[in-house]
Amino acid sequence: MGAGKSCVGRRLADALGLAFRDSDEEVEKAAGCKVKDIFDAYGELAFRDCERRVIQRLLDGGPCVLATGGGAFMDLNTRALIRDTAVSVWLRADPDVLFQRTRKNKNRPLLNNDDPLGTLKRLAGERYPTYAEADIVIDTGNEPVDATVARLRDMLEGKSMQDAAKDHETLRVDLGDRSYDIHVGAGLIGRAGELLVGVLAAPRTVIVTDELVAPHWLTPLQDSLSAAGISSRAIVVPPGEETKSLAWVEKVTDDLLQHGLDRKMTLIALGGGVVGDLTGFCAAIALRGVDFVQIPTTLLAQVDSSVGGKTGIDTRFGKNLIGAFHQPRAVIADTAALDTLPRRELLCGYAEVVKYGVINDRPFFDWLVADGHKLIDGDESARRRAVVESCKNKAAVVSADERESGLRALLNLGHTFGHAVEAQYGFGDGLKHGEAVAIGMAMALDMSVAKGICDAADRDALIAHLAAVGLPTGLSGIAGTNWTSDALLDHMGRDKKTEGGKLTFILANGIGQSFVARDVDAAQVKSVLDGYLAAAKAA
């Protein structure tokens, strides 16, 4: 509101010889009344629904310059439509500037309150991270409108700008001086040097990767770094969860120190979650902390472990019980790397993708139910959308709660149950982390239903979708004869989320409505576990 989209949009349309459309005006034509009247009579949700349908109709028409309301781009489906069919432009302005431009206008429903400036600042905090996904961002200050239009036209007409806007997407994790970008797109490993040249403290790197990833991606990465004037050498470790250990921390840090690690060097984690966690932890403790970059090559790592700065290794008492918070300097998620993954590895990552929909994004979950199979089958557009939306959801949570003091705990949906199942299984390859998370999410919603806070239809929808793509939702074929609910509860008691002996779970009032539940009744947890063990035995 007040960014100048109508004024700039009309003059840009004139300059380009295109029609100009304003979504608010088109909504009013369709509804036969003013936007304010729609808000007053039916509420914001009804307005957004009408707005979404109108924008889709306009984008399905001929070329035009379309000015949309600020709330339109916040809608997941509208944003995806814009990304696929248009070049998006964010006219960025400081909330104080927007207030000066809008303070005399009484026809803006969201600002009709006692503190319009506070509302603008709140909206900026909520919306600007999403607005930053626009293809082009242009600051609008006090310069003449024609100057803004001229700058914008130059950006649009420069083919290199358009190509850069469309070949990958960049999200920002906002953590003050520890902020960093997440780059998502196909072919980015071959452009890593270009993306990192302005990020590294010095052009010297050490790449940590594993024996499965190295044959595919180590040479392209090193070639890209070399072309940008960045030196590199590699440490190659064995694949598998067993490498997330104190023994391998010692081996990697010994290698780093033996070859002259200094504080301006950057470690690069090239691989899945095991390599990312191991490298990040070594970076956190070597020389009391050096920079590192995440280049995740599995879907699970791209949507989860590479973002947020949680590093850790396993012990015989449980997963990730030794670790540190250490944020990367950048994350480069090359979706082309997913082409080399077996279907089972893709499914393990897909469980984490579904998790974000269940936590707080019902529209995303609904899209996955409709189109998630495309991601697994190799559709590049679906993969990029899933990674972008997952990273955006996680970045927003991490920015608000970096060290898991409250909100960030939601990201552990399915993990308290899942980690206990993994620990009882023995962390072997017969049960992968993503598969355990899928089982854990099913258990979490089953427990929510048992507590009477979640509709059984939502639990059934989650279980049906996980099963439809091939993920486990129970313990059949997994639980051994020595498995008991008491043993699983014992593993939960050692979970790092347990405080003062009290169990913490992420439960849900429904899909997209998860919350942190502390001091959960162990008897109720035991009852849910007994039900799953009985079903496994019967099968």
Side-chain angles (χ1 to χ4, degrees):
M1 293 172 283
K5 62 183 182 296
S6 296
C7 185
V8 171
R10 284 192 173 87
R11 296 198 192 183
L12 178 65
D14 289 342
L16 298 177
L18 296 174
F20 173 76
R21 300 285 185 266
D22 184 291
S23 63
D24 283 354
E25 293 178 1
E26 297 293 330
V27 167
E28 289 179 348
K29 290 179 184 177
C33 60
K34 295 291 185 182
V35 168
K36 182 179 181 301
D37 296 331
I38 301 175
F39 266 77
D40 292 344
Y42 305 106
E44 184 175 359
L45 288 178
F47 170 75
R48 296 300 175 203
D49 181 62
C50 181
E51 178 183 57
R52 184 187 313 114
R53 289 183 277 113
V54 166
I55 288 174
Q56 180 162 4
R57 171 173 57 81
L58 293 171
L59 291 180
D60 286 342
C64 69
V65 173
L66 170 63
T68 72
F73 200 67
M74 298 300 295
D75 182 85
L76 173 67
N77 294 317
T78 302
R79 193 162 64 252
L81 180 67
I82 292 171
R83 179 170 58 240
D84 292 341
T85 60
V87 176
S88 54
V89 178
W90 174 22
L91 301 179
R92 182 169 57 190
D94 185 85
D96 291 314
V97 173
L98 298 178
F99 174 66
Q100 292 302 318
R101 293 176 181 173
T102 60
R103 61 193 177 91
K104 294 182 179 180
N105 189 329
K106 302 303 181 185
N107 293 318
R108 299 183 183 274
L110 292 180
L111 299 184
N112 289 341
N113 56 55
D114 295 333
D115 185 17
L117 177 58
T119 299
L120 285 167
K121 290 182 176 179
R122 176 182 58 79
L123 289 173
E126 294 172 353
R127 295 180 175 184
Y128 278 19
T130 300
Y131 290 175
E133 295 180 30
D135 296 325
I136 293 175
V137 179
I138 187 166
D139 288 298
T140 62
N142 294 317
E143 70 178 0
V145 172
D146 287 340
T148 300
V149 171
R151 286 197 293 134
L152 181 51
R153 185 174 180 179
D154 287 344
M155 290 181 176
L156 288 166
E157 291 181 347
K159 187 177 186 302
S160 61
M161 169 59 76
Q162 287 186 328
D163 289 345
K166 289 299 182 184
D167 68 0
H168 80 278
E169 298 183 50
T170 301
L171 310 173
R172 187 74 169 166
V173 181
D174 189 4
L175 293 169
D177 59 0
R178 296 180 313 288
S179 298
Y180 55 93
D181 288 331
I182 306 168
H183 304 280
V184 182
L188 296 188
I189 289 177
R191 293 180 50 202
E194 167 195 336
L195 295 171
L196 294 177
V197 72
V199 173
L200 306 182
R204 302 189 301 277
T205 65
V206 179
I207 302 165
V208 181
T209 188
D210 70 34
E211 295 163 354
L212 294 179
V213 174
H216 294 287
W217 301 112
L218 180 56
T219 297
L221 174 58
Q222 290 190 299
D223 288 347
S224 172
L225 294 172
S226 178
I230 301 169
S231 68
S232 66
R233 70 177 187 86
I235 299 173
V236 181
V237 302
E241 192 75 22
E242 294 80 5
T243 304
K244 278 180 56 172
S245 65
L246 281 171
W248 274 102
V249 169
E250 183 177 13
K251 291 176 183 178
V252 171
T253 52
D254 279 355
D255 185 292
L256 293 170
L257 296 171
Q258 180 183 349
H259 289 87
L261 177 71
D262 65 67
R263 284 181 172 163
K264 286 195 173 182
M265 294 180 76
T266 298
L267 305 190
I268 298 178
L270 174 67
V274 168
V275 167
D277 278 357
L278 174 66
T279 306
F281 184 59
C282 290
I285 63 175
L287 303 181
R288 294 191 176 91
V290 298
D291 288 346
F292 85 112
V293 167
Q294 290 270 22
I295 303 184
T297 58
T298 65
L299 180 59
L300 193 154
Q302 288 184 3
V303 303
D304 186 59
S305 60
S306 67
V307 179
K310 285 172 71 172
T311 72
I313 57 172
D314 302 339
T315 76
R316 62 190 177 91
F317 298 107
K319 287 176 64 70
N320 302 320
L321 293 181
I322 298 175
F325 286 95
H326 192 56
Q327 298 294 342
R329 294 287 293 136
V331 178
I332 299 174
D334 187 341
T335 50
L338 306 182
D339 292 337
T340 64
L341 297 183
R343 180 180 177 87
R344 187 182 179 195
E345 290 291 342
L346 278 172
L347 286 175
C348 286
Y350 189 76
E352 295 281 0
V353 173
V354 173
K355 178 188 76 174
Y356 292 107
V358 179
I359 290 172
N360 63 0
D361 198 339
R362 180 66 191 245
F364 184 43
F365 177 82
D366 291 341
W367 175 77
L368 290 171
V369 170
D371 291 333
H373 65 281
K374 295 179 182 177
L375 179 162
I376 299 166
D377 292 339
D379 183 273
E380 168 56 28
S381 176
R383 285 181 174 177
R384 185 192 291 197
R385 178 173 178 180
V387 174
V388 167
E389 293 299 333
S390 298
C391 287
K392 185 193 73 175
N393 276 315
K394 183 160 189 180
V397 172
V398 170
S399 296
D401 180 17
E402 180 182 4
R403 292 181 173 264
E404 203 170 322
S405 59
L407 178 66
R408 185 167 178 171
L410 290 173
L411 298 174
N412 292 314
L413 174 69
H415 285 61
T416 301
F417 282 111
H419 281 171
V421 171
E422 282 185 279
Q424 183 66 20
Y425 191 86
F427 301 113
D429 280 341
L431 177 68
K432 293 185 174 292
H433 176 66
E435 294 167 339
V437 169
I439 295 168
M441 285 193 292
M443 289 179 170
L445 260 68
D446 209 17
M447 185 166 169
S448 300
V449 171
K451 290 177 70 67
I453 59 175
C454 177
D455 194 312
D458 277 8
R459 174 202 59 195
D460 295 345
L462 171 65
I463 291 175
H465 181 55
L466 294 173
V469 299
L471 281 163
T473 58
L475 298 178
S476 177
I478 296 170
T481 56
N482 63 329
W483 284 48
T484 65
S485 56
D486 286 332
L488 290 168
L489 279 168
D490 185 54
H491 289 303
M492 291 177 186
R494 296 173 180 173
D495 192 285
K496 59 185 179 297
K497 295 178 288 298
T498 300
E499 298 179 5
K502 296 179 179 180
L503 298 175
T504 298
F505 290 86
I506 310 305
L507 303 180
N509 296 123
I511 291 174
Q513 304 175 62
S514 297
F515 65 94
V516 181
R518 304 191 187 278
D519 195 16
V520 173
D521 182 7
Q524 198 161 35
V525 180
K526 180 177 170 64
S527 176
V528 170
L529 293 172
D530 282 336
Y532 275 81
L533 290 169
K537 185 177 181 180

